[in-house]
Amino acid sequence: MDHRSFWLITGDGLRLHARDYAADEAADGGVAVLCLHGLTRNAADFDDLAARLSPRYRVVVMEQRGRGDSDYDRDPANYQVGTYVQDAMALLDAMELDRPVLIGTSMGGLMSMVMGSTAPQRFRGIVLNDIGPVVEPAGVERIRGYVGRGGPIADWDDAVRATRANNETAFPGLGDAEWLAFAKRLFREEPDGGLRAAYDPAIAEPMNADSTSAVPADLWTVFEALSDLPMLLIRGALSDILSARTTEEMARRHPHLEYVEVADRGHAPLLDEPEAVAAIEGFLARL
């Protein structure tokens, strides 16, 4: 899918990468979408969705510091949501994105909630992918068990095995070709022929030092500040991060929340599932 790279220089001197899928200027009134990935992920997570949406919308996919083609941070303490939010808001200014819709997966959804609550006038709406104001401890512990860990990856067969080991319970039924495509989003080839994860292993340090650092405090207050923003919530039916109980409470506190559950998906739906794609397209069309 054709896109151009945009580079943001942060206030502390890092060079961060974003993919810009520019739509026809006349398409859907110039609506823009800003996609924000999860903890260990990168822009490749949104390849399929960007291909689907970009004929009608401008789609920008940001890679947070320490992920993908963005610079690694020498200070691991900066690998936390508050810093990522500052970076994303700086990207909005640099790219002159006018009231984009935020689509945030997991950590990207935490960012979206914080951004929308602090500056609601800057956004048209929010799509949260398998994340809410309560992040289930069991899911956090599962993620802590593999982030920044694991031995060397020799080849793509090895990468597929590692990918399946960390994700198989969340994605039952994926075939071999789908697992290889999944792995190719998570790993990069090294000059010596080996592979490495497409993120800085040091992103785990703040989480391992203090498990509460992975999630901003008092997220219900943050969520309630979003009541005037249109919102779509997507949940994997098998999720160990976003519970059905939290989903019900979110619907109670946000009177206009739209909701779709994706069968046979845990944390987090890939956003290529027909029900997820249809929900996102319908949500954007109504905006």
Side-chain angles (χ1 to χ4, degrees), residues 216-245:
D218 197 12
L219 274 175
W220 279 118
T221 299
V222 170
F223 182 77
E224 289 175 345
L226 302 170
S227 60
D228 291 333
L229 273 176
M231 183 180 293
L232 168 65
L233 175 63
I234 298 169
R235 176 177 180 264
L238 307 177
S239 179
D240 62 356
I241 287 289
L242 177 62
S243 71
R245 181 176 179 178

Side-chain angles (χ1 to χ4, degrees), residues 31 99-104 112-113 115-117 119-128 223-234 250 253-259 279-280 282-287:
V31 173
R99 298 186 65 227
V101 177
L102 298 175
I103 301 181
S112 298
M113 285 190 281
M115 292 164 69
S117 67
Q121 74 283 358
R122 298 199 66 174
F123 306 101
R124 293 177 189 264
I126 294 176
V127 179
L128 297 178
F223 182 77
E224 289 175 345
L226 302 170
S227 60
D228 291 333
L229 273 176
M231 183 180 293
L232 168 65
L233 175 63
I234 298 169
M250 292 170 73
R253 298 197 192 198
H254 194 301
H256 306 297
L257 180 74
E258 299 181 35
Y259 173 68
I280 292 171
F283 181 74
L284 293 175
R286 287 186 289 277
L287 295 180

Side-chain angles (χ1 to χ4, degrees), residues 22-36:
D24 185 315
E25 291 184 0
D28 283 22
V31 173
V33 176
L34 176 61
C35 298
L36 302 169

